[in-house]
Amino acid sequence: MDDPARYRWIAANILPHESELRGWLRRRLCAFGDNDVDDLVQEAFARIWAADFATIRNGRAYLYATVRHLLAEYARRSRIVPIELLGEIDSLNLISDEPGPERRVGARQELDRLRVIVAALPAQCRRVFELRKFEGLSQRDVAARMGLSEKTVENHLTRALARIGATLATLTPAAELTHSEPSARRADDADHGND
Amino acid sequence: MTRIMETISELAARWAVRADGGAIGPDEQRELETWLAADSRHRGAYVRARAQWVDLDRLAALHGPAGEPPAASSMVEEPVPDPTAANAGVTVKPGATAAALSRRQLLAAGIAAVGVFGGGLSWMILREGRERYASGIGEVRRIALEDGSTLLLNTASKVTVRLTKKQRDIRLVRGEALFDVAHDKSRPFIVQANDTAVRAVGTAFAVRLEAAQVDVTVTEGVVEVADSKTMAGLGPATPATSRPGVKRVVAHERVVIARARAPDVKPIAPAEADRQLAWREGLVSFDGESLQAAVAEINRHNRRQIVIDDPVLAAMPIVGVFRAIDLEGFSAAAAAALKARAIPDGDVIRLQPGAVPTLN
């Protein structure tokens, strides 16, 4: 599988489960701030990227298994991970790909939400994004069409992608709304990577 | 004010956009590699951003021509709609929109190819004032009509459209389509499927054509259903609700017309209608249907097919939402849920009774 095919595989098999995973982590890892959830998700994506996709039969199960390994590592390195969490992630129904009721709603609404996010982009940013993504113009052609520099086009596309990614990351499945109060961010974030 | 620091996600988004743009020079490539190697979170964020960027193509699949409905006069006949040829399906349009349109169609082809075994191409033909629209296997295609109505074609479907001053005449030749009808009292919107005609003024409804029946689900407003002959005799805009042979179907109702049987109208809950129309979002949704029925549905969206080797397995219920073009994902999930095995076998994936595969 070449890299574009691998990105598509991730898009089809891992991305749909990300917001569910984040919601679960946010609810369960009260000692974790959003930055920690970000770290964990990024680490998980890095691990999954290194895997042989042909051996993965269930993306959701693999994602949770990866996170479980990471949490166990964090715990060993005395990062703050409540021990009972490891037991809980074990008891999750990892094999079944059946989404719960909230996930089914999530799947239905996912594209609607994307559309809303795109619609909410600043006008020029949105136009650039639409020309690139919907019309399939190259960045250079978008720049020529709109009379912008290619750098500006790149900036708009970056902003669009970053905002879409950030919004999806903070989406909370409906059933979890009561737990969605933002947890306090840890102040000592600077020590990442030094341990 | 410029921001001094970008977060990992923002940096990853910038690199993803740059790499996707294609014009990444050797120096930049080195810079990217250095950045990726510096921290495993960088790699993860980058992979996530690239995957999200790819995933956004699904939006384009549902995105019709933005404010530029296909004008019949500018459409050019395209005689060889061969969905298997790599460059088929690119309609040649004169003028400045040619590039954009063919790019869109290429893009649509790319989206179909996102499913490992999808790959149908869309095409249009103008013939005797009748426009033809078709979707490839695994493709969901949105078409904006001149009158402001839109139609959404499910996988492997085909319609023809003829808009005149008196009537909007649509034929569902194959498959399934959802119609969102622009209000226009002077021009009834009539969809014909086999011998059944469905008439609407301003409403939304889906029609599915199968071998032995036509299935109409109304999500908004009211439609009238009759056989084609009866409908033809009604004339324009007749309030025909009480005429013999004409069935009125309102929102949240579904009617099944089987050959040589009276139309069978039943209520359908909005959630159930949403579920049945999950294909609008490129999804298929099952709520206790047999594996056999679920496989039949998912096979409609894919060139590669799933075969169930065991009648007991075939009768087991399936619950879940799946990407219509993700045949492998579906078979793996079904196998896991039903304690079966999914075995790739050339052009098919076989589902057989067996043990749950272990993960670790």
Side-chain angles (χ1 to χ4, degrees), chain B residues 1-331:
Chain B
M1 197 180 127
T2 27
R3 296 190 48 190
I4 298 158
M5 228 177 71
E6 289 181 297
T7 65
I8 293 177
S9 307
E10 284 162 352
L11 282 168
R14 179 167 298 281
W15 278 116
V17 163
R18 234 181 246 180
D20 178 68
I24 195 164
D27 286 351
E28 273 187 318
Q29 185 66 38
R30 262 195 303 279
E31 198 188 328
L32 171 60
E33 295 298 344
T34 308
W35 182 74
L36 289 175
D39 187 327
S40 56
R41 289 174 299 162
H42 294 180
R43 169 69 73 183
Y46 177 72
V47 166
R48 176 174 177 268
R50 292 290 304 258
Q52 263 168 352
W53 190 244
V54 168
D55 199 40
L56 286 164
D57 287 341
R58 285 191 301 138
L59 270 181
L62 301 171
H63 191 268
E68 35 183 271
S73 58
S74 64
M75 243 175 271
V76 168
E77 176 140 358
E78 189 231 343
V80 194
D82 177 5
T84 57
N87 60 351
V90 182
T91 307
V92 182
K93 277 182 76 175
T97 53
L101 186 70
S102 57
R103 290 301 293 261
R104 189 204 314 287
Q105 290 183 319
L106 286 173
L107 192 63
I111 290 147
V114 165
V116 185
F117 307 103
L121 291 181
S122 48
W123 45 276
M124 293 178 219
I125 292 183
L126 177 69
R127 184 183 291 167
E128 295 161 13
R130 192 168 262 285
E131 294 150 43
R132 293 218 274 170
Y133 301 95
S135 56
I137 293 173
E139 184 187 16
V140 172
R141 183 161 176 227
R142 181 165 173 261
I143 292 144
L145 300 181
E146 281 175 84
D147 69 328
S149 302
T150 59
L151 48 108
L152 198 60
L153 290 183
N154 198 355
T155 177
S157 301
K158 192 197 276 188
V159 296
T160 66
V161 176
R162 191 156 154 256
L163 302 181
T164 65
K165 283 188 178 154
K166 288 186 177 166
Q167 189 164 307
R168 294 171 284 177
D169 175 20
I170 319 288
R171 266 166 223 268
L172 178 62
V173 181
R174 184 177 68 220
E176 180 171 11
L178 178 73
F179 303 91
D180 198 340
V181 182
H183 193 82
D184 184 352
K185 261 191 182 155
S186 65
R187 286 202 291 178
F189 189 100
I190 298 179
V191 177
Q192 302 209 47
N194 282 347
D195 298 333
T196 300
V198 183
R199 181 161 100 158
V201 177
T203 180
F205 61 101
V207 181
R208 176 167 171 150
L209 176 59
E210 291 182 62
Q213 65 182 48
V214 174
D215 190 327
V216 181
T217 300
V218 181
T219 53
E220 275 175 47
V222 186
V223 301
E224 295 157 354
V225 178
D227 66 62
S228 298
K229 270 187 194 162
T230 308
M231 190 67 81
L234 288 178
T238 314
T241 56
S242 59
R243 301 218 182 174
V246 178
K247 204 87 185 169
R248 217 174 125 85
V249 188
V250 301
H252 313 308
E253 279 186 345
R254 177 181 177 204
V255 59
V256 174
I257 303 106
R259 266 182 204 143
R261 268 199 232 153
D264 180 21
V265 183
K266 285 194 173 136
I268 181 167
E272 174 64 13
D274 272 352
R275 199 178 68 73
Q276 282 191 3
L277 298 175
W279 58 266
R280 287 178 294 189
E281 323 287 358
L283 304 170
V284 288
S285 173
F286 305 114
D287 189 12
E289 283 97 331
S290 69
L291 179 62
Q292 185 162 31
V295 162
E297 181 62 33
I298 202 119
N299 278 348
R300 288 176 70 204
H301 296 265
N302 293 276
R303 286 189 188 282
R304 202 180 188 193
Q305 301 280 289
I306 297 175
V307 175
I308 312 167
D309 282 341
D310 181 76
V312 177
L313 188 61
M316 291 174 98
I318 278 282
V319 176
V321 177
F322 303 90
R323 284 174 200 242
I325 57 173
D326 184 15
L327 192 76
E328 289 187 318
F330 171 84
S331 48

Side-chain angles (χ1 to χ4, degrees), chain A residues 123-140:
Chain A
Q124 195 175 55
C125 177
R126 175 181 168 192
R127 188 68 194 129
V128 167
F129 177 83
E130 287 176 345
L131 284 174
R132 176 83 184 91
K133 265 325 216 188
F134 296 166
E135 311 284 0
L137 297 186
S138 70
Q139 291 186 25
R140 178 170 300 175

